[in-house]
Amino acid sequence: MLLPRELDECSGMVSLGNELYAGLNDSGNAAELYIFSLKPGQKTKVVTILGASNDDWEELAADHIYMYIGDTGNNDGNRKNLRIYRIKKNDLLNQTEVQAELISFHYPEQKLIQPSNHHNFDCEALVAVGDSLYLFTKNRGDSQTDLYSIPAVPGKYAARHLDRFDADGLVTGADYRQKDGSGELILIGYTIEGKGYHPFIIYFPQVSDTGFFKGSPERFTFSGRLQTETILFHDEHTVFVSNEEEHGDKGFIYQVDIRK
């Protein structure tokens, strides 16, 4: 399924229900969200986010009331303005301009804030669970992912380090859902070999509370060479995955079966 033309650098996507989805573009683009349907012939709605700028938007997450825009991209490791914008989902659905609230944070473990291409303080994956936001880092330094949490309310915070997982690659997106008294976590990312991107999915089918990395994960790898950026649960057995329009690739949504 082809992404809307407005989402030429889609790096975050969530379901709004009723077959509607919200997506965003990453750095260098406008502070806008795009509401769209996968039904043919449906027009994309553009929503301007007031009080926000797109330094490097990389992820969308949602709970029952709010949408969270992760302005958490940190390619060079030297950002001092990491932040997440919070907006009301009902406003997003009913208005074309929405005021954002600000959640600012930093990583206490990052002692030096200076340019680097070999660091562990980039983040493109975010989920909202309960009263907190959980960040999964994109570790350019060691190809693992670190789990941090911050409160899901406006303010300034030191992100709390909770856990670490050997992703064996660069994590670029996440989604979580409640299921039968427990939860499911799914991560998307890629490895880089030469000039090629090699996508993978890591699926945690049994998550107790927020012990996201407990249990036995399942890993899926793909032969394609796409810069996969987003993932979200679609139905009982499948997920949606999208890629950026990079290196001549068009942006698509792919439906992937995660059943073994």
Side-chain angles (χ1 to χ4, degrees), residues 99-154:
Q99 183 66 46
E101 298 177 291
L102 182 62
I103 302 170
S104 300
F105 71 97
H106 70 278
Y107 303 104
E109 291 76 14
Q110 187 175 14
K111 304 304 181 184
L112 294 176
I113 300 179
Q114 60 187 19
S116 170
N117 59 5
H118 194 76
H119 68 92
N120 294 335
F121 300 101
D122 195 2
C123 178
E124 299 185 7
L126 168 73
V127 298
V129 184
D131 61 0
S132 297
L133 300 173
Y134 296 90
L135 296 84
F136 303 86
T137 58
K138 179 182 181 181
N139 288 13
R140 301 169 183 276
D142 57 22
S143 294
Q144 300 194 51
T145 185
D146 287 287
L147 172 64
Y148 288 87
S149 72
I150 57 176
V153 294

